Structures are given as C-alpha cells and as structure tokens.
Amino acid sequence: MDKPPSPKTTAGGHVPPDVDILLSRMLSEIASDADIEAYRDLVLANGEVVDVSEVAKIDTKAEQLRKAGNRLYHARKYKAALGKYNEAMCCAESGSEHLAICYANRSAIYYEQEEYELALLNMALAKEHNYPAKILDKLDVREQSCRKKLEQGQSKNIALCPRMGINVEGNPRVPFLAKGIAMRQYPWCNRGLEAERDFRTGDVILDEKAVLSIVDVPLKYYNCSHCSAENHHSLIPCPDCVFAMYCSEECLERDKRLVHRFECGLATKLRNVSMYTSNMGPKLFLYGLTLFNDDLDQMMEYCEQSANAGGDPFTLDYREYDPLAEFKELHKTVLNTNTEIEGSLKACAALSYAVLIKNPAINSSLTTKSHHRFLLNSLLHYTRVACFLMWNSHVNLSTTSTGHVLSGLTSVGSLINHSCDPNVAAIYMGGRLKFILLRPIRAGEQILTAYGPTWYDRNHPPVTYSFVCACPFCVQPSMQHWLATGRELSLGAERNADMLLAILQDEAFNDVDKLHAIQQYIQRHIRFHPEDTLSRIMTTYRLYLLEMVKKDIERMGREAAVARVFE
C-alpha cells in the first residue's frame, strides 16, 4: 500500500533483547560512514548472539499449540485460533497425526463461519495427512453436512465486486502494464513513469506480481511465505522448518528451489535477526545466487562490473520471462545514500552475513577474502535496494495489534515517484502491486503515487521521508494557499456530490455501482481540484479501492479452493 518506512535506529519488532542490544551497540559505537567490515567484525565478535539453536519440529509443542487453538475456537476467536492451528502444523513432526487434526480443526472453524467449500478443502487435507481412523466418523459427518448445505444453495459467495486487473489495452512486451506508459529520466528525481496517452479515473494501469515477498514474523502463520497471500484456509507447512507456510504446493516448491533451500536450516537464526522486513536483502542475494546456478564467481563477476549502471526494466520482454535478466536490472539500480539510515542498513547486512555463513553450501563457496567481501557488500546493496524499492501492506491481526507488514519487491512498479497529491493509488496486496488512477492523467504527465499520507489525509501524523518532497502541495506555504489554487464547486457539482453520498449510503446499490459512481464524479469534476469536498470524495475512493482489491483477491482464493475441492 505504501513504500517502506526507513529502518528504525533500534530493532524493536520481534527480535530478542540481546540482538537489540547488539544493534544498539553498532549504531552507537560505529560511525555510519565507516566501512561495513567494522559492523561485521563487531557482530562476529559477539557470535553467540546470532548463533542460536534451531527450533525443531516436536509433537509435544504441536499438541500444546493445538490445545491453545481449541480454547480460542471455543471462545469464538476464530482468526486467533487459525493462527494457533497453523503454528501447530509447523511444529508437528513428519507423519504426525497432529498435522491432520489441525487441518480438521481448521475445517470446523470454516464450518461455523458457513464457509463450506473451505471446510471441505481442509477435511480433504486432513484425510491426506494421516487423520486418525478412530475419529474419522466425526469428520465424515461434518463433510456430509457441508455437501448437503452446498446442495441447498447455502454457499457463502463473495458479494459482487469488480475485477481489479488491467482494464485498458496492455503493453505488448509487458502484459501486466498498460500500453502508453514509459520510463523517463527526471533531473530532480532520477527515474520515473510517464503517460504517453490519456487515462481515465479508475483505469488499472499496473498489475505486477512481486519478484520476491516478505512476511513479517507475526504473520508467518497467516500468509504464504512465498507470495505473501493471506490464504490461511489452505496454508501448508514447510516439511523441514517451523517458520514457513505456503498457500499451495506450487508456492512451496518454487520457494524451496529459489530461496528457502538456503534459509530453511537457518530459519530460527534468520527470524532472530529479522527487523520488520530487513531480511529482503539476504533473500534477494540468495535469489540471485540461484539464478546464477549457485556459481558465486560468475555472480560476482557480473555484479561488480555492472554496479550502479542504472537499471531499466523496459528493456525486458516479459512475454518470454527471464528472471535472471530481471534480477540484473534490479541489481543495477542506482541509489542515493541516505546518511540517516545508512548505519541501520549496514547493521542489518552485518547480522545477515553472520547468519548466512552458517549455511554449509554458502560457506563452502566462500574460499577467498574477495568472496567474503562480495557477500558482505551484496547484502548491503540489496538491503538498500529493498529499503527504497519495496512496497508494504500493513495488517492488523486484532484490534489491539500495532500493525504488521507484508512486503514485496517489484521491477516496473518500483519506478513510480512520490507526490502528496498523487494521481495513482498504489496498492500492494496478495503478492501483487496495482496502480489504479485516482484522477485523470493526460499524455506527458508523470505518474505519481503517495508513499505515505496524501495532503487530504489531514488526521494522519506527519511522515518523514529520505528526500525533500517538492510536489505542488509541498511548495505551497500553507493548506489555505494550496486550496486557493483550485476552484469552488459549482452548484451542479454540489448537487452531484449529494447524489453520490446518497448512492454510497443506499444498500440497494452494490459495490460495483458505488465504485463506478465515485469514479464518474471525479472524472467529471476534477477541474475543481484541489477542493475540500472533492478531497473527501478522493479519500472515500481510496478506501473503496482497497476494499475492492481485497474482495477481488478473496474471490480468486475462493475460486481456487472450490476448484481443488471439486476437481
């Protein structure tokens, strides 16, 4: 939904206190412009902090977690119960009946929620994973009840919602991007995206799948560790570690092949040094190493020769997707050093280095000092790349949670620049980044989104960026001066605003009707922008877009679940 915040000066989040203390020492004892080897040396001198024992799968722990889930289930705290059941699955030993029982318990939750297709899916998973024969009758009764209710038309279908994929002519070479968008070089902000033709309010001009995704630690048992999708109804555990779950066998196999084969044996250590989404840096390095066929020398030769060359994803033909070519363009990204967070980035990279060298496959490749230096520098570079190019989606697991983060790294989508008066809503959700027009864009205009709050998010606390914003709003001395650049609504526009409000409050109109009504109003009356009433409508519009994207993802997840049940 927004660009990532700058790393904090202390770890916070979910790291152990001794890691937080070590991070604080690095930031207080080492200058931010010091060589990264100084950070590495301090970490290695305190190796016991990162060299923790790996958490093993054990049935007694799985049983404890499952019983905790049962208590939450009986208290009707279903989402929390799902989290406990999923964690129990991850802790269950290979071939254990606890895994199957947790699938069955998940089915009970979905049965209570009248999600009968999802209940059937989990019952099928339970039967595939050694469900105890002595209690199979209970599961069969629930299955028969589900099928009867579906036959009676009691399926809990997602309400009608618009499809939120590309809805304009696509780019022949980049199918997930609208035709008529190009990369431009701007003297004040380096790269950016520019419209080569007119676009209308509501046009979906980008629907890009993330190259890599990161799931914040508290979300590990709710979201897929590969694509980050919130498919907790179908999550399956990594067979070898306790900290990864996947929405499908395809995601499990792909993540294992590309990255997780390096991470799996270090899962506990990596979790302990993960600060918010700092492990995107090492993940990007491991992804690159896989694409170079685990040939560290070949990777080093290319990366050192092409550093800071300037990446351009528009040179790629995505009809014949080449992940190595895309990785190379990401690697060539030119980044401005931000002295305020440079120390934090170096500390994160040093911690990652100390963990990764524990992997036998990686350590055996580090035969020279140059190899070690390349690994260290790469982790710093990719941590910088991730910090500045990742997209975040914030998730609250409960009314008391402070919000956790799902992050994705994209190629084309990373090119968009910031404005507090954006013309595009950038929404990262379900492992995909979408650009949806908030207002019309004319040919020749730069395409812009807000990395944080917009000017009309007046109740949002101020956000500090790593750059000085010079957008049309920020160059004005005050809100009054900014609003003075717009026009008062005409009587006709005011009447139309009242009609729009009536439509939004009328339950006779579905989500599709309401969304189209908002888009038509903005398209028709944007000439008054910036204006107070129009800004409130824009705020409502952005909230509707978020909700529609979420519902569209839920629809696709349900369709996939139904297909698996009835295939």
Side-chain angles (χ1 to χ4, degrees):
M1 313 251 265
D2 52 52
K3 284 281 188 173
S6 299
K8 298 183 180 295
T9 53
T10 58
H14 318 286
V15 300
D18 51 354
V19 176
D20 200 7
I21 292 171
L22 178 57
L23 177 64
S24 297
R25 282 189 59 193
M26 284 189 277
L27 298 180
S28 62
E29 296 177 14
I30 306 174
S32 62
D33 60 353
D35 191 279
I36 189 175
E37 290 189 357
Y39 291 80
R40 178 203 61 189
D41 292 345
L42 183 56
V43 172
L44 294 181
N46 294 271
E48 71 283 354
V49 173
V50 297
D51 192 17
V52 297
S53 300
E54 291 298 313
V55 176
K57 292 179 180 287
I58 182 169
D59 280 346
T60 53
K61 178 67 173 177
E63 185 175 15
Q64 291 172 1
L65 290 165
R66 180 170 57 81
K67 289 180 177 178
N70 290 343
R71 291 190 290 271
L72 291 165
Y73 168 78
H74 291 301
R76 304 184 70 83
K77 297 179 180 179
Y78 292 139
K79 185 159 188 175
L82 283 170
K84 287 298 179 185
Y85 289 147
N86 288 342
E87 187 176 359
M89 290 181 191
C90 289
C91 292
E93 298 172 30
S94 177
S96 165
E97 67 178 23
H98 292 290
L99 177 59
I101 294 174
C102 284
Y103 283 129
N105 289 358
R106 277 200 326 207
S107 77
I109 290 177
Y110 289 116
Y111 183 86
E112 291 296 324
Q113 295 179 323
E114 300 180 355
E115 300 273 9
Y116 301 120
E117 296 95 340
L118 303 184
L120 285 171
L121 172 62
N122 279 279
M123 282 183 266
L125 289 169
K127 292 180 178 180
E128 293 170 8
H129 290 85
N130 196 31
Y131 191 73
K134 60 185 178 182
I135 54 175
L136 187 58
D137 289 348
K138 182 179 179 181
L139 201 64
D140 287 337
V141 170
R142 187 183 302 151
E143 180 179 354
Q144 291 169 11
S145 179
C146 282
R147 294 190 182 278
K148 183 176 180 180
K149 289 179 182 296
L150 289 175
E151 289 172 1
Q152 295 172 346
Q154 297 185 40
S155 174
K156 188 177 179 181
N157 293 317
I158 296 294
L160 180 65
C161 69
R163 304 297 175 99
M164 303 303 291
I166 297 285
N167 57 7
V168 293
E169 184 180 1
N171 184 315
R173 289 169 55 88
V174 190
F176 54 81
L177 179 71
K179 183 179 180 180
I181 296 175
M183 189 183 89
R184 294 283 185 266
Q185 296 287 340
Y186 297 99
W188 58 89
C189 58
N190 201 359
R191 306 180 301 175
L193 294 175
E194 186 173 292
E196 296 181 321
R197 66 180 183 90
D198 295 350
F199 291 97
R200 294 176 59 84
T201 306
D203 285 350
V204 181
I205 59 173
L206 181 86
D207 184 12
E208 183 177 9
K209 183 178 180 180
V211 178
L212 293 172
S213 299
I214 289 292
V215 177
D216 202 1
V217 170
L219 302 176
K220 290 288 188 184
Y221 305 116
Y222 293 92
N223 294 74
C224 177
S225 292
H226 178 63
C227 72
S228 80
E230 188 187 9
N231 285 346
H232 41 65
H233 56 262
S234 62
L235 290 177
I236 56 177
C238 170
D240 300 310
C241 76
V242 302
F243 294 121
M245 299 196 81
Y246 300 94
C247 64
S248 65
E249 290 286 350
E250 292 77 14
C251 272
L252 188 156
E253 293 169 2
R254 180 173 173 79
D255 194 36
K256 193 79 169 181
R257 176 172 58 85
L258 293 174
V259 175
H260 194 61
R261 61 193 175 95
F262 295 111
E263 299 173 326
C264 195
L266 305 171
T268 305
K269 296 178 181 64
L270 287 170
R271 178 187 184 278
N272 282 1
V273 300
S274 175
M275 287 154 280
Y276 304 96
T277 53
S278 63
N279 53 334
M280 180 64 90
K283 185 178 273 291
L284 186 54
F285 170 81
L286 297 172
Y287 177 66
L289 184 60
T290 296
L291 297 179
F292 277 97
N293 297 315
D294 293 357
D295 189 329
L296 187 67
D297 287 307
Q298 185 183 25
M299 182 180 180
M300 183 167 67
E301 180 181 3
Y302 173 82
C303 291
E304 290 183 345
Q305 290 178 354
S306 60
N308 296 314
D312 181 1
F314 280 84
T315 62
L316 305 177
D317 187 344
Y318 282 88
R319 294 171 299 182
E320 300 177 0
Y321 181 56
D322 182 348
L324 178 57
E326 183 179 50
F327 172 82
K328 289 178 177 179
E329 295 305 316
L330 282 170
H331 171 78
K332 292 189 289 186
T333 300
V334 178
L335 299 170
N336 296 321
T337 301
N338 182 348
T339 56
E340 292 184 4
I341 63 173
E342 185 67 5
S344 295
L345 298 179
K346 289 177 179 177
C348 290
L351 288 167
S352 298
Y353 170 90
V355 172
L356 290 185
I357 60 174
K358 302 293 182 183
N359 181 287
I362 293 175
N363 193 49
S364 64
S365 299
L366 303 173
T367 58
T368 67
K369 289 184 178 180
S370 297
H371 288 151
H372 282 271
R373 181 70 187 188
F374 172 67
L375 172 60
L376 192 59
N377 286 341
S378 294
L379 292 173
L380 175 58
H381 175 64
Y382 296 135
T383 301
R384 286 174 180 149
V385 169
C387 176
F388 288 100
L389 300 188
M390 277 195 311
W391 295 91
N392 287 341
S393 178
H394 295 269
V395 177
N396 293 323
L397 290 177
S398 68
T399 56
T400 58
S401 68
T402 57
H404 308 295
V405 183
L406 301 170
S407 299
L409 185 64
T410 62
S411 184
V412 175
S414 68
L415 300 175
I416 196 169
N417 289 316
H418 165 81
S419 173
C420 299
D421 182 35
N423 48 31
V424 158
I427 301 175
Y428 178 72
M429 195 180 297
R432 302 190 74 89
L433 176 65
K434 298 177 187 289
F435 290 168
I436 308 173
L437 263 66
L438 293 171
R439 52 187 171 87
I441 295 178
R442 302 298 183 189
E445 285 188 57
Q446 187 176 179
I447 299 169
L448 299 162
T449 193
Y451 292 173
T454 66
W455 69 266
Y456 40 86
D457 294 324
R458 302 183 193 183
N459 294 325
H460 196 288
V463 172
T464 301
Y465 297 111
S466 59
F467 54 88
V468 177
C469 182
C471 73
F473 169 73
C474 287
V475 298
Q476 296 293 333
S478 68
M479 178 67 74
Q480 289 72 25
H481 285 84
W482 167 243
L483 290 174
T485 65
R487 298 163 53 190
E488 290 187 10
L489 290 184
S490 65
L491 290 177
E494 289 181 351
R495 285 195 297 269
N496 288 342
D498 291 337
M499 291 174 59
L500 175 62
L501 179 61
I503 290 172
L504 297 180
Q505 294 176 339
D506 191 339
E507 294 183 0
F509 292 93
N510 60 41
D511 288 335
V512 176
D513 296 331
K514 292 177 180 180
L515 185 63
H516 288 169
I518 298 174
Q519 292 169 342
Q520 290 170 8
Y521 183 90
I522 295 172
Q523 182 73 23
R524 183 176 180 182
H525 300 299
I526 195 62
R527 65 185 183 278
F528 299 105
H529 175 78
E531 193 277 332
D532 196 52
T533 298
L534 189 57
S535 74
R536 290 197 294 271
I537 292 172
M538 298 278 280
T539 300
T540 301
Y541 178 39
R542 291 172 69 219
L543 294 175
Y544 262 87
L545 289 177
L546 288 172
E547 187 64 21
M548 294 305 102
V549 170
K550 180 180 179 181
K551 287 186 176 181
D552 194 35
I553 292 171
E554 290 175 351
R555 174 191 58 77
M556 291 187 289
R558 175 181 295 278
E559 290 176 354
V562 170
R564 290 175 63 182
V565 169
F566 297 105
E567 63 185 2

